[in-house]
Amino acid sequence: FAHPDTVKSVAVSADGAQLVTSCGDNIVRVWNASGGPAVWEYRVRGGACVAAIPTSDAKSVVVGEGPWVLVL
């Protein structure tokens, strides 16, 4: 679960299978909780990514980006 900058948030999916992280490099990453490289990444474009959490069905990620909230 390596990150090149400060980790700003970590959240676990409801089923415990995935982790969602946001980092000071403004990339949101989704990881398999069992380890390995990130399985999905999204670079926040408009501002600082302050938090990211999976939805309860683990099909989307909610991202707090500056004054905005994104659902990916």
Side-chain angles (χ1 to χ4, degrees):
F1 306 109
H3 292 79
D5 205 330
T6 303
V7 175
K8 295 184 176 186
S9 70
V10 177
V12 180
S13 62
D15 63 3
Q18 295 182 321
L19 302 174
V20 178
T21 61
S22 64
C23 182
D25 64 357
N26 289 331
I27 296 179
V28 173
R29 294 173 174 86
V30 177
W31 312 79
N32 286 324
S34 60
V39 296
W40 183 83
E41 294 183 348
Y42 173 76
R43 179 174 296 279
V44 175
R45 304 264 186 234
C49 177
V50 295
I53 59 170
T55 56
S56 60
D57 63 4
K59 293 182 179 180
S60 300
V61 175
V62 179
V63 177
E65 176 191 352
W68 301 282
V69 174
L70 306 173
V71 179
L72 309 172

Short mmCIF file of all heavy atoms in Angstrom, two decimals:
data_model
loop_
_atom_site.label_atom_id
_atom_site.label_comp_id
_atom_site.label_asym_id
_atom_site.label_seq_id
_atom_site.Cartn_x
_atom_site.Cartn_y
_atom_site.Cartn_z
N PHE A 1 0.82 -1.18 0.00
CA PHE A 1 0.00 0.00 0.00
C PHE A 1 0.87 1.26 0.00
O PHE A 1 0.64 2.18 0.76
CB PHE A 1 -0.96 0.00 1.19
CG PHE A 1 -1.79 -1.26 1.28
CD1 PHE A 1 -1.58 -2.20 2.26
CD2 PHE A 1 -2.79 -1.51 0.35
CE1 PHE A 1 -2.34 -3.35 2.35
CE2 PHE A 1 -3.57 -2.65 0.42
CZ PHE A 1 -3.35 -3.57 1.41
N ALA A 2 1.88 1.26 -0.85
CA ALA A 2 2.83 2.37 -0.89
C ALA A 2 2.21 3.61 -1.53
O ALA A 2 1.46 3.52 -2.49
CB ALA A 2 4.07 1.97 -1.66
N HIS A 3 2.54 4.80 -0.94
CA HIS A 3 2.08 6.08 -1.44
C HIS A 3 3.29 7.01 -1.53
O HIS A 3 4.15 6.97 -0.65
CB HIS A 3 1.05 6.69 -0.50
CG HIS A 3 -0.25 5.96 -0.46
ND1 HIS A 3 -0.41 4.81 0.28
CD2 HIS A 3 -1.43 6.19 -1.06
CE1 HIS A 3 -1.65 4.38 0.12
NE2 HIS A 3 -2.28 5.19 -0.69
N PRO A 4 3.34 7.88 -2.55
CA PRO A 4 4.48 8.78 -2.69
C PRO A 4 4.39 10.04 -1.83
O PRO A 4 5.32 10.83 -1.82
CB PRO A 4 4.44 9.14 -4.17
CG PRO A 4 2.99 9.08 -4.52
CD PRO A 4 2.44 7.95 -3.70
N ASP A 5 3.27 10.23 -1.14
CA ASP A 5 3.07 11.44 -0.35
C ASP A 5 2.24 11.09 0.88
O ASP A 5 1.90 9.92 1.09
CB ASP A 5 2.35 12.50 -1.20
CG ASP A 5 2.61 13.93 -0.75
OD1 ASP A 5 2.83 14.13 0.46
OD2 ASP A 5 2.56 14.85 -1.59
N THR A 6 1.87 12.07 1.67
CA THR A 6 1.09 11.85 2.88
C THR A 6 -0.28 11.26 2.57
O THR A 6 -0.99 11.77 1.70
CB THR A 6 0.89 13.19 3.63
OG1 THR A 6 2.18 13.74 3.90
CG2 THR A 6 0.13 13.00 4.92
N VAL A 7 -0.65 10.21 3.27
CA VAL A 7 -1.98 9.63 3.13
C VAL A 7 -2.95 10.49 3.93
O VAL A 7 -2.74 10.74 5.12
CB VAL A 7 -2.01 8.17 3.63
CG1 VAL A 7 -3.42 7.61 3.60
CG2 VAL A 7 -1.09 7.30 2.77
N LYS A 8 -4.02 10.94 3.27
CA LYS A 8 -4.99 11.84 3.92
C LYS A 8 -6.19 11.09 4.47
O LYS A 8 -6.80 11.54 5.42
CB LYS A 8 -5.44 12.91 2.94
CG LYS A 8 -4.31 13.84 2.54
CD LYS A 8 -4.81 14.93 1.66
CE LYS A 8 -3.69 15.91 1.36
NZ LYS A 8 -4.19 17.06 0.62
N SER A 9 -6.56 9.97 3.85
CA SER A 9 -7.69 9.20 4.37
C SER A 9 -7.56 7.75 3.94
O SER A 9 -6.95 7.43 2.92
CB SER A 9 -9.03 9.76 3.90
OG SER A 9 -9.22 9.55 2.51
N VAL A 10 -8.12 6.87 4.77
CA VAL A 10 -8.20 5.44 4.48
C VAL A 10 -9.60 4.99 4.87
O VAL A 10 -10.08 5.33 5.95
CB VAL A 10 -7.16 4.62 5.30
CG1 VAL A 10 -7.32 3.13 5.02
CG2 VAL A 10 -5.75 5.08 5.01
N ALA A 11 -10.25 4.25 3.99
CA ALA A 11 -11.59 3.71 4.29
C ALA A 11 -11.64 2.27 3.79
O ALA A 11 -11.00 1.92 2.81
CB ALA A 11 -12.66 4.55 3.63
N VAL A 12 -12.43 1.46 4.47
CA VAL A 12 -12.58 0.04 4.13
C VAL A 12 -13.99 -0.17 3.60
O VAL A 12 -14.96 0.36 4.15
CB VAL A 12 -12.35 -0.84 5.38
CG1 VAL A 12 -12.50 -2.31 5.04
CG2 VAL A 12 -10.98 -0.56 5.98
N SER A 13 -14.12 -0.96 2.53
CA SER A 13 -15.44 -1.27 1.99
C SER A 13 -16.24 -2.08 3.02
O SER A 13 -15.67 -2.71 3.91
CB SER A 13 -15.32 -2.03 0.67
OG SER A 13 -14.68 -3.28 0.87
N ALA A 14 -17.56 -2.05 2.88
CA ALA A 14 -18.43 -2.74 3.84
C ALA A 14 -18.13 -4.22 3.96
O ALA A 14 -18.23 -4.80 5.04
CB ALA A 14 -19.89 -2.52 3.45
N ASP A 15 -17.71 -4.83 2.86
CA ASP A 15 -17.40 -6.27 2.90
C ASP A 15 -15.96 -6.56 3.31
O ASP A 15 -15.55 -7.71 3.42
CB ASP A 15 -17.71 -6.92 1.55
CG ASP A 15 -16.86 -6.39 0.40
OD1 ASP A 15 -15.97 -5.54 0.63
OD2 ASP A 15 -17.10 -6.81 -0.74
N GLY A 16 -15.16 -5.50 3.53
CA GLY A 16 -13.78 -5.66 3.97
C GLY A 16 -12.82 -6.09 2.88
O GLY A 16 -11.65 -6.31 3.13
N ALA A 17 -13.29 -6.17 1.64
CA ALA A 17 -12.45 -6.67 0.55
C ALA A 17 -11.55 -5.60 -0.07
O ALA A 17 -10.54 -5.93 -0.68
CB ALA A 17 -13.32 -7.28 -0.55
N GLN A 18 -11.91 -4.32 0.07
CA GLN A 18 -11.15 -3.26 -0.56
C GLN A 18 -10.87 -2.12 0.41
O GLN A 18 -11.63 -1.88 1.34
CB GLN A 18 -11.89 -2.72 -1.78
CG GLN A 18 -12.04 -3.73 -2.89
CD GLN A 18 -12.74 -3.15 -4.10
OE1 GLN A 18 -13.67 -2.38 -3.96
NE2 GLN A 18 -12.29 -3.53 -5.27
N LEU A 19 -9.75 -1.43 0.15
CA LEU A 19 -9.39 -0.21 0.85
C LEU A 19 -9.42 0.93 -0.16
O LEU A 19 -9.05 0.73 -1.32
CB LEU A 19 -7.99 -0.29 1.43
CG LEU A 19 -7.69 -1.42 2.41
CD1 LEU A 19 -6.20 -1.41 2.75
CD2 LEU A 19 -8.52 -1.26 3.66
N VAL A 20 -9.84 2.10 0.28
CA VAL A 20 -9.80 3.30 -0.55
C VAL A 20 -8.94 4.31 0.18
O VAL A 20 -9.14 4.57 1.37
CB VAL A 20 -11.21 3.87 -0.79
CG1 VAL A 20 -11.13 5.15 -1.61
CG2 VAL A 20 -12.09 2.84 -1.49
N THR A 21 -7.95 4.87 -0.52
CA THR A 21 -7.07 5.86 0.09
C THR A 21 -7.05 7.13 -0.74
O THR A 21 -7.26 7.10 -1.95
CB THR A 21 -5.63 5.33 0.22
OG1 THR A 21 -5.10 5.03 -1.08
CG2 THR A 21 -5.56 4.08 1.08
N SER A 22 -6.80 8.25 -0.06
CA SER A 22 -6.50 9.50 -0.76
C SER A 22 -5.15 9.96 -0.25
O SER A 22 -4.80 9.73 0.90
CB SER A 22 -7.59 10.54 -0.53
OG SER A 22 -7.68 10.91 0.82
N CYS A 23 -4.42 10.62 -1.12
CA CYS A 23 -3.02 10.93 -0.83
C CYS A 23 -2.72 12.38 -1.20
O CYS A 23 -3.44 13.00 -1.99
CB CYS A 23 -2.15 9.96 -1.64
SG CYS A 23 -0.38 10.12 -1.41
N GLY A 24 -1.66 12.91 -0.64
CA GLY A 24 -1.22 14.27 -0.93
C GLY A 24 -0.85 14.50 -2.38
O GLY A 24 -0.74 15.64 -2.81
N ASP A 25 -0.67 13.44 -3.16
CA ASP A 25 -0.41 13.59 -4.59
C ASP A 25 -1.72 13.75 -5.38
O ASP A 25 -1.71 13.78 -6.60
CB ASP A 25 0.41 12.43 -5.13
CG ASP A 25 -0.30 11.09 -5.05
OD1 ASP A 25 -1.44 11.02 -4.51
OD2 ASP A 25 0.27 10.09 -5.52
N ASN A 26 -2.86 13.87 -4.66
CA ASN A 26 -4.19 14.06 -5.24
C ASN A 26 -4.65 12.88 -6.09
O ASN A 26 -5.38 13.04 -7.06
CB ASN A 26 -4.29 15.37 -6.02
CG ASN A 26 -4.28 16.56 -5.10
OD1 ASN A 26 -4.71 16.47 -3.96
ND2 ASN A 26 -3.77 17.68 -5.57
N ILE A 27 -4.23 11.69 -5.71
CA ILE A 27 -4.70 10.48 -6.37
C ILE A 27 -5.48 9.65 -5.37
O ILE A 27 -5.02 9.40 -4.25
CB ILE A 27 -3.54 9.65 -6.97
CG1 ILE A 27 -2.85 10.46 -8.07
CG2 ILE A 27 -4.06 8.32 -7.53
CD1 ILE A 27 -1.66 9.75 -8.71
N VAL A 28 -6.69 9.25 -5.78
CA VAL A 28 -7.51 8.32 -5.01
C VAL A 28 -7.17 6.93 -5.52
O VAL A 28 -7.13 6.70 -6.74
CB VAL A 28 -9.01 8.61 -5.21
CG1 VAL A 28 -9.86 7.55 -4.54
CG2 VAL A 28 -9.35 9.98 -4.67
N ARG A 29 -6.91 6.00 -4.61
CA ARG A 29 -6.55 4.64 -5.00
C ARG A 29 -7.48 3.63 -4.34
O ARG A 29 -7.86 3.80 -3.19
CB ARG A 29 -5.11 4.34 -4.60
CG ARG A 29 -4.08 5.18 -5.34
CD ARG A 29 -2.67 4.95 -4.78
NE ARG A 29 -1.67 5.64 -5.57
CZ ARG A 29 -1.31 6.92 -5.39
NH1 ARG A 29 -1.86 7.64 -4.43
NH2 ARG A 29 -0.39 7.47 -6.16
N VAL A 30 -7.81 2.58 -5.10
CA VAL A 30 -8.57 1.45 -4.56
C VAL A 30 -7.64 0.25 -4.57
O VAL A 30 -6.96 -0.02 -5.58
CB VAL A 30 -9.83 1.16 -5.40
CG1 VAL A 30 -10.56 -0.06 -4.88
CG2 VAL A 30 -10.76 2.38 -5.40
N TRP A 31 -7.61 -0.46 -3.46
CA TRP A 31 -6.71 -1.60 -3.27
C TRP A 31 -7.50 -2.82 -2.85
O TRP A 31 -8.51 -2.69 -2.16
CB TRP A 31 -5.72 -1.32 -2.14
CG TRP A 31 -5.03 0.00 -2.16
CD1 TRP A 31 -5.53 1.21 -1.77
CD2 TRP A 31 -3.70 0.26 -2.59
NE1 TRP A 31 -4.60 2.19 -1.92
CE2 TRP A 31 -3.46 1.64 -2.42
CE3 TRP A 31 -2.68 -0.55 -3.09
CZ2 TRP A 31 -2.25 2.23 -2.75
CZ3 TRP A 31 -1.47 0.05 -3.41
CH2 TRP A 31 -1.27 1.41 -3.24
N ASN A 32 -7.04 -4.00 -3.23
CA ASN A 32 -7.56 -5.22 -2.62
C ASN A 32 -6.98 -5.29 -1.22
O ASN A 32 -5.77 -5.09 -1.04
CB ASN A 32 -7.15 -6.46 -3.42
CG ASN A 32 -7.93 -6.57 -4.71
OD1 ASN A 32 -9.11 -6.23 -4.77
ND2 ASN A 32 -7.27 -7.04 -5.76
N ALA A 33 -7.81 -5.55 -0.23
CA ALA A 33 -7.35 -5.57 1.16
C ALA A 33 -6.30 -6.65 1.40
O ALA A 33 -5.50 -6.55 2.33
CB ALA A 33 -8.53 -5.76 2.11
N SER A 34 -6.27 -7.66 0.55
CA SER A 34 -5.30 -8.74 0.70
C SER A 34 -3.90 -8.33 0.27
O SER A 34 -2.93 -9.06 0.49
CB SER A 34 -5.75 -9.97 -0.08
OG SER A 34 -5.88 -9.65 -1.45
N GLY A 35 -3.76 -7.14 -0.37
CA GLY A 35 -2.45 -6.65 -0.77
C GLY A 35 -2.30 -6.52 -2.27
O GLY A 35 -3.24 -6.73 -3.02
N GLY A 36 -1.10 -6.17 -2.68
CA GLY A 36 -0.81 -5.99 -4.10
C GLY A 36 -0.92 -4.54 -4.51
O GLY A 36 -1.20 -3.66 -3.70
N PRO A 37 -0.70 -4.27 -5.81
CA PRO A 37 -0.76 -2.89 -6.29
C PRO A 37 -2.20 -2.37 -6.32
O PRO A 37 -3.16 -3.15 -6.25
CB PRO A 37 -0.20 -3.00 -7.71
CG PRO A 37 -0.49 -4.40 -8.12
CD PRO A 37 -0.39 -5.22 -6.86
N ALA A 38 -2.34 -1.06 -6.43
CA ALA A 38 -3.67 -0.46 -6.54
C ALA A 38 -4.38 -1.02 -7.76
O ALA A 38 -3.77 -1.21 -8.82
CB ALA A 38 -3.56 1.06 -6.64
N VAL A 39 -5.66 -1.30 -7.62
CA VAL A 39 -6.44 -1.86 -8.73
C VAL A 39 -7.16 -0.77 -9.52
O VAL A 39 -7.68 -1.03 -10.61
CB VAL A 39 -7.44 -2.93 -8.25
CG1 VAL A 39 -6.71 -4.12 -7.66
CG2 VAL A 39 -8.43 -2.37 -7.24
N TRP A 40 -7.20 0.45 -8.97
CA TRP A 40 -7.86 1.57 -9.66
C TRP A 40 -7.31 2.86 -9.09
O TRP A 40 -7.05 2.95 -7.89
CB TRP A 40 -9.37 1.47 -9.42
CG TRP A 40 -10.19 2.50 -10.13
CD1 TRP A 40 -10.62 2.45 -11.42
CD2 TRP A 40 -10.69 3.73 -9.59
NE1 TRP A 40 -11.36 3.58 -11.70
CE2 TRP A 40 -11.41 4.37 -10.59
CE3 TRP A 40 -10.58 4.34 -8.34
CZ2 TRP A 40 -12.04 5.59 -10.40
CZ3 TRP A 40 -11.19 5.56 -8.14
CH2 TRP A 40 -11.92 6.17 -9.17
N GLU A 41 -7.11 3.86 -9.94
CA GLU A 41 -6.62 5.16 -9.51
C GLU A 41 -7.38 6.27 -10.22
O GLU A 41 -7.77 6.11 -11.37
CB GLU A 41 -5.12 5.33 -9.82
CG GLU A 41 -4.22 4.41 -9.06
CD GLU A 41 -2.75 4.65 -9.34
OE1 GLU A 41 -2.41 5.38 -10.30
OE2 GLU A 41 -1.93 4.11 -8.59
N TYR A 42 -7.57 7.38 -9.52
CA TYR A 42 -8.19 8.56 -10.11
C TYR A 42 -7.44 9.79 -9.62
O TYR A 42 -7.29 9.99 -8.42
CB TYR A 42 -9.66 8.67 -9.70
CG TYR A 42 -10.30 9.97 -10.14
CD1 TYR A 42 -10.68 10.15 -11.46
CD2 TYR A 42 -10.51 11.01 -9.25
CE1 TYR A 42 -11.25 11.34 -11.89
CE2 TYR A 42 -11.08 12.20 -9.65
CZ TYR A 42 -11.45 12.37 -10.97
OH TYR A 42 -12.00 13.55 -11.38
N ARG A 43 -6.96 10.59 -10.56
CA ARG A 43 -6.26 11.83 -10.19
C ARG A 43 -7.28 12.95 -10.09
O ARG A 43 -7.99 13.26 -11.04
CB ARG A 43 -5.19 12.21 -11.21
CG ARG A 43 -4.48 13.52 -10.84
CD ARG A 43 -3.32 13.84 -11.76
NE ARG A 43 -2.27 12.85 -11.67
CZ ARG A 43 -1.33 12.82 -10.72
NH1 ARG A 43 -1.33 13.71 -9.76
NH2 ARG A 43 -0.40 11.88 -10.73
N VAL A 44 -7.36 13.59 -8.92
CA VAL A 44 -8.25 14.72 -8.69
C VAL A 44 -7.67 15.92 -9.43
O VAL A 44 -6.50 16.24 -9.27
CB VAL A 44 -8.39 14.99 -7.18
CG1 VAL A 44 -9.21 16.23 -6.92
CG2 VAL A 44 -9.00 13.78 -6.50
N ARG A 45 -8.46 16.59 -10.23
CA ARG A 45 -7.96 17.67 -11.09
C ARG A 45 -8.18 19.08 -10.52
O ARG A 45 -7.38 19.95 -10.72
CB ARG A 45 -8.65 17.60 -12.45
CG ARG A 45 -8.50 16.27 -13.11
CD ARG A 45 -7.36 16.29 -14.09
NE ARG A 45 -7.33 15.03 -14.82
CZ ARG A 45 -6.28 14.26 -14.90
NH1 ARG A 45 -5.18 14.61 -14.30
NH2 ARG A 45 -6.30 13.15 -15.57
N GLY A 46 -9.28 19.30 -9.82
CA GLY A 46 -9.67 20.66 -9.49
C GLY A 46 -9.18 21.19 -8.16
O GLY A 46 -9.35 22.36 -7.88
N GLY A 47 -8.64 20.37 -7.31
CA GLY A 47 -8.22 20.86 -6.00
C GLY A 47 -7.70 19.71 -5.16
O GLY A 47 -7.53 18.61 -5.64
N ALA A 48 -7.47 19.99 -3.91
CA ALA A 48 -6.92 18.99 -3.02
C ALA A 48 -7.96 17.93 -2.67
O ALA A 48 -9.09 18.24 -2.33
CB ALA A 48 -6.41 19.65 -1.75
N CYS A 49 -7.56 16.69 -2.76
CA CYS A 49 -8.42 15.57 -2.36
C CYS A 49 -8.28 15.40 -0.86
O CYS A 49 -7.20 15.11 -0.37
CB CYS A 49 -8.00 14.31 -3.09
SG CYS A 49 -8.94 12.88 -2.59
N VAL A 50 -9.37 15.61 -0.14
CA VAL A 50 -9.28 15.56 1.32
C VAL A 50 -9.78 14.25 1.91
O VAL A 50 -9.41 13.89 3.02
CB VAL A 50 -10.01 16.75 1.97
CG1 VAL A 50 -9.31 18.05 1.61
CG2 VAL A 50 -11.46 16.80 1.54
N ALA A 51 -10.63 13.52 1.18
CA ALA A 51 -11.15 12.26 1.70
C ALA A 51 -11.76 11.45 0.57
O ALA A 51 -12.20 12.00 -0.43
CB ALA A 51 -12.19 12.50 2.77
N ALA A 52 -11.76 10.14 0.74
CA ALA A 52 -12.39 9.24 -0.23
C ALA A 52 -12.95 8.04 0.52
O ALA A 52 -12.25 7.47 1.37
CB ALA A 52 -11.40 8.79 -1.29
N ILE A 53 -14.19 7.67 0.24
CA ILE A 53 -14.81 6.52 0.89
C ILE A 53 -15.61 5.72 -0.13
O ILE A 53 -16.17 6.28 -1.06
CB ILE A 53 -15.72 6.92 2.07
CG1 ILE A 53 -16.83 7.85 1.60
CG2 ILE A 53 -14.93 7.56 3.18
CD1 ILE A 53 -17.89 8.09 2.62
N PRO A 54 -15.66 4.40 0.03
CA PRO A 54 -16.48 3.59 -0.87
C PRO A 54 -17.96 3.69 -0.48
O PRO A 54 -18.27 3.90 0.69
CB PRO A 54 -15.95 2.17 -0.66
CG PRO A 54 -15.43 2.18 0.75
CD PRO A 54 -14.92 3.58 0.97
N THR A 55 -18.84 3.55 -1.46
CA THR A 55 -20.26 3.48 -1.14
C THR A 55 -20.54 2.12 -0.50
O THR A 55 -19.72 1.20 -0.57
CB THR A 55 -21.13 3.65 -2.40
OG1 THR A 55 -20.74 2.68 -3.37
CG2 THR A 55 -20.97 5.05 -2.99
N SER A 56 -21.71 1.98 0.12
CA SER A 56 -22.01 0.74 0.85
C SER A 56 -22.05 -0.49 -0.05
O SER A 56 -21.77 -1.59 0.41
CB SER A 56 -23.33 0.88 1.61
OG SER A 56 -24.39 1.13 0.70
N ASP A 57 -22.33 -0.31 -1.35
CA ASP A 57 -22.33 -1.45 -2.26
C ASP A 57 -20.97 -1.67 -2.92
O ASP A 57 -20.80 -2.57 -3.73
CB ASP A 57 -23.42 -1.30 -3.33
CG ASP A 57 -23.21 -0.08 -4.23
OD1 ASP A 57 -22.18 0.63 -4.10
OD2 ASP A 57 -24.10 0.18 -5.05
N ALA A 58 -19.98 -0.82 -2.59
CA ALA A 58 -18.60 -0.91 -3.11
C ALA A 58 -18.52 -0.77 -4.63
O ALA A 58 -17.56 -1.19 -5.24
CB ALA A 58 -17.92 -2.19 -2.65
N LYS A 59 -19.52 -0.15 -5.25
CA LYS A 59 -19.51 0.05 -6.70
C LYS A 59 -19.03 1.44 -7.09
O LYS A 59 -18.72 1.68 -8.25
CB LYS A 59 -20.89 -0.21 -7.28
CG LYS A 59 -21.31 -1.65 -7.18
CD LYS A 59 -22.66 -1.88 -7.80
CE LYS A 59 -23.04 -3.35 -7.71
NZ LYS A 59 -24.34 -3.62 -8.32
N SER A 60 -18.98 2.36 -6.14
CA SER A 60 -18.57 3.74 -6.41
C SER A 60 -17.70 4.23 -5.26
O SER A 60 -17.68 3.63 -4.19
CB SER A 60 -19.79 4.65 -6.55
OG SER A 60 -20.61 4.24 -7.60
N VAL A 61 -17.02 5.34 -5.53
CA VAL A 61 -16.21 5.99 -4.50
C VAL A 61 -16.66 7.44 -4.40
O VAL A 61 -16.82 8.12 -5.42
CB VAL A 61 -14.70 5.92 -4.85
CG1 VAL A 61 -13.87 6.70 -3.84
CG2 VAL A 61 -14.23 4.49 -4.95
N VAL A 62 -16.88 7.92 -3.19
CA VAL A 62 -17.23 9.32 -2.95
C VAL A 62 -15.95 10.04 -2.57
O VAL A 62 -15.24 9.60 -1.65
CB VAL A 62 -18.29 9.44 -1.84
CG1 VAL A 62 -18.62 10.91 -1.58
CG2 VAL A 62 -19.54 8.66 -2.19
N VAL A 63 -15.66 11.14 -3.28
CA VAL A 63 -14.40 11.86 -3.07
C VAL A 63 -14.70 13.30 -2.67
O VAL A 63 -15.48 13.98 -3.34
CB VAL A 63 -13.56 11.86 -4.37
CG1 VAL A 63 -12.28 12.67 -4.20
CG2 VAL A 63 -13.24 10.43 -4.80
N GLY A 64 -14.10 13.76 -1.58
CA GLY A 64 -14.17 15.16 -1.19
C GLY A 64 -13.00 15.88 -1.82
O GLY A 64 -11.84 15.61 -1.52
N GLU A 65 -13.32 16.78 -2.74
CA GLU A 65 -12.30 17.49 -3.50
C GLU A 65 -12.50 18.99 -3.30
O GLU A 65 -13.36 19.60 -3.91
CB GLU A 65 -12.42 17.15 -4.98
CG GLU A 65 -11.46 17.90 -5.87
CD GLU A 65 -11.78 17.74 -7.33
OE1 GLU A 65 -12.64 16.97 -7.72
OE2 GLU A 65 -11.13 18.46 -8.10
N GLY A 66 -11.70 19.56 -2.40
CA GLY A 66 -11.88 20.99 -2.11
C GLY A 66 -13.33 21.24 -1.69
O GLY A 66 -13.86 20.55 -0.83
N PRO A 67 -14.01 22.18 -2.35
CA PRO A 67 -15.40 22.47 -2.00
C PRO A 67 -16.42 21.52 -2.66
O PRO A 67 -17.61 21.67 -2.47
CB PRO A 67 -15.60 23.91 -2.48
CG PRO A 67 -14.68 24.02 -3.64
CD PRO A 67 -13.48 23.16 -3.29
N TRP A 68 -15.96 20.56 -3.47
CA TRP A 68 -16.86 19.70 -4.23
C TRP A 68 -16.85 18.27 -3.68
O TRP A 68 -15.92 17.83 -3.04
CB TRP A 68 -16.45 19.63 -5.70
CG TRP A 68 -16.46 20.96 -6.35
CD1 TRP A 68 -17.54 21.66 -6.80
CD2 TRP A 68 -15.34 21.79 -6.62
NE1 TRP A 68 -17.16 22.87 -7.33
CE2 TRP A 68 -15.79 22.97 -7.23
CE3 TRP A 68 -13.97 21.64 -6.41
CZ2 TRP A 68 -14.96 24.00 -7.63
CZ3 TRP A 68 -13.14 22.66 -6.81
CH2 TRP A 68 -13.63 23.83 -7.41
N VAL A 69 -17.92 17.55 -4.00
CA VAL A 69 -18.00 16.12 -3.71
C VAL A 69 -18.24 15.41 -5.04
O VAL A 69 -19.13 15.78 -5.81
CB VAL A 69 -19.14 15.80 -2.73
CG1 VAL A 69 -19.31 14.30 -2.56
CG2 VAL A 69 -18.90 16.47 -1.39
N LEU A 70 -17.41 14.44 -5.35
CA LEU A 70 -17.53 13.67 -6.59
C LEU A 70 -17.96 12.26 -6.25
O LEU A 70 -17.55 11.70 -5.25
CB LEU A 70 -16.18 13.60 -7.31
CG LEU A 70 -15.47 14.89 -7.63
CD1 LEU A 70 -14.08 14.58 -8.19
CD2 LEU A 70 -16.27 15.71 -8.61
N VAL A 71 -18.77 11.65 -7.11
CA VAL A 71 -19.08 10.23 -6.99
C VAL A 71 -18.54 9.57 -8.24
O VAL A 71 -18.94 9.89 -9.36
CB VAL A 71 -20.60 9.98 -6.85
CG1 VAL A 71 -20.87 8.49 -6.76
CG2 VAL A 71 -21.15 10.72 -5.64
N LEU A 72 -17.58 8.67 -8.06
CA LEU A 72 -16.90 8.02 -9.19
C LEU A 72 -17.32 6.57 -9.29
O LEU A 72 -17.53 5.90 -8.32
CB LEU A 72 -15.39 8.10 -9.01
CG LEU A 72 -14.83 9.50 -8.72
CD1 LEU A 72 -13.36 9.40 -8.37
CD2 LEU A 72 -15.04 10.39 -9.90
#
